[in-house]
Every structure is written in structure tokens, then in C-alpha cells.
Amino acid sequence: MSAAEDIRVTEEDRLRADLYNFLGLLLAVPPNADTLAMTAGLTGDDTPLGVAINALAKIAKLSKPAAVESEFNKLFIGLGRGELLPYASYYLTGFLNEKPLAKLRQDMAARGLTRAENVYEPEDNIASLMEMMGAMIVGRFGQARDVADQKAFFNTHIGPWAGHFFTDLEAAKNSVLYAAVGQVGRVFMEIEAEGFRMSAE
């Protein structure tokens, strides 16, 4: 049996990967009408994550693509720069393109992850990291990664700063739909950090 067959992707892991990918999608580009409609159709339970997902769905139902695009631009692009700089290097060092990005590039190469040719953002932006994590869980770019490898990647590249970013996104003055995205992300990062903490060393 090959290593690729050793790791069985459970339904729970598929759902985790889906949420990482969904956050990556919302944080990479402003959602179009189809993405907003899909978001509006989400339903959650009475857990903190479910409550956050229900809040996001409710706001998505009331949102128009043009307004959300304007919100996205104010938050992440702006004149010169947006309200938030969604990069690991910035959150961890106060500067862009620092050691955290170099370390990420090494770890990406070791895992066979490469930057898409049409993407010009530094790889340590939050959208890319969410997508990488989702891909690792289900093996979208090669084999699915075991919990130990997921944990190592999360603890190095996501855990130290993503919760802070999502908290900032929740509170940002230009956040409306993205305040709810921030809430979902913050709660999800807490769940992931706790899950990895409880996993076997």
C-alpha cells in the first residue's frame, strides 16, 4: 500500500477542507452574485461556528456584489494600501516579505505546493494559506497530509497570526459582510488550534 493510500480522508476532514477553501475564496477576491447566493444558502447549528455561519449567511442574503466589492477594496486594497494587510510576515514582524514568507516558501517546496502562475500576491497572504491548508487535508496537490503534517504547517504558518487577523477583520471599520467572515474565521481557527493541541504529539 502506498503512502497516498495510507491516509483516509474522513467526512469531517472534507468539511474542514471545504471551510478552509471557502474562506480562501472569500478572502482572495470579492464574491460575485453566485458566491453570495451560495453563502446565503449556508446553515449552521447552535455551536459557536454554526452561529457564525448563520450570521454570515444572513448578511450575504442582504449583500449586493457591487457593495461587497467596494468593501473588499477598502479592506484589502485601498489607495496605497487597504485597512488590513492580510500577510503572515506583516502580522508576525511588522513588515512585508520577511522571514515568515521565506520559511513558508521552503515548506511549500517540501510539500510540492507551488504558487499559481496568475497569482502575484506573496504566498503568505491569508487567502493562499487557507487554500493550502484545505489542499493538504484532502490531497488536492498530491497526497493527503496526515494530522502531524497538518499540525506542523498550521502551527508554523497559520496559528501564530490568523486568529489575530480574523479578529481585526471582525472589528475593521469597513467590514460589513467581512465582519461575519472574520467571525467564522476566528471561531474556526480556535477550533483548529484546539484540535491540533489535543492531537497526539
Side-chain angles (χ1 to χ4, degrees), residues 124-145:
D124 66 340
N125 75 78
I126 190 72
S128 294
L129 286 165
M130 295 293 101
E131 186 183 345
M132 284 181 229
M133 196 71 192
M136 286 174 54
I137 293 168
V138 295
R140 199 162 74 241
F141 304 125
Q143 71 179 51
R145 299 293 174 158

Side-chain angles (χ1 to χ4, degrees), residues 42-199:
L42 296 174
T43 55
D45 53 22
D46 60 359
T47 63
L49 183 58
V51 169
I53 286 170
N54 285 331
L56 175 58
K58 191 173 180 181
I59 294 171
K61 213 169 281 179
L62 303 170
S63 298
K64 301 282 185 276
V68 176
E69 183 173 0
S70 173
E71 178 184 344
F72 182 94
N73 290 339
K74 286 176 187 167
L75 285 166
F76 304 122
I77 298 167
L79 293 171
R81 63 164 271 196
E83 187 176 348
L84 300 176
L85 288 170
Y87 303 96
S89 288
Y90 181 77
Y91 268 79
L92 296 173
T93 71
F95 299 96
L96 296 173
N97 301 315
E98 286 291 319
K99 282 184 183 171
L101 177 58
K103 172 75 172 126
L104 174 63
R105 286 174 173 160
Q106 288 174 351
D107 285 354
M108 286 173 65
R111 290 172 171 86
L113 299 170
T114 56
R115 180 161 82 170
E117 286 184 18
N118 60 341
V119 173
Y120 303 102
E121 292 271 307
E123 295 89 330
D124 66 340
N125 75 78
I126 190 72
S128 294
L129 286 165
M130 295 293 101
E131 186 183 345
M132 284 181 229
M133 196 71 192
M136 286 174 54
I137 293 168
V138 295
R140 199 162 74 241
F141 304 125
Q143 71 179 51
R145 299 293 174 158
D146 63 22
V147 172
D149 198 18
Q150 292 175 36
K151 178 179 182 175
F153 189 88
F154 181 91
N155 285 347
T156 302
H157 302 294
I158 298 173
W161 75 282
H164 299 294
F165 165 77
F166 283 121
T167 298
D168 289 348
L169 185 58
E170 265 187 286
K173 71 177 197 297
N174 289 301
S175 279
V176 182
L177 177 77
Y178 280 91
V181 173
Q183 183 185 6
V184 170
R186 175 181 55 78
V187 173
F188 184 44
M189 293 302 99
E190 290 167 2
I191 292 167
E192 286 287 277
E194 180 65 10
F196 287 130
R197 191 183 67 75
M198 292 173 64
S199 68

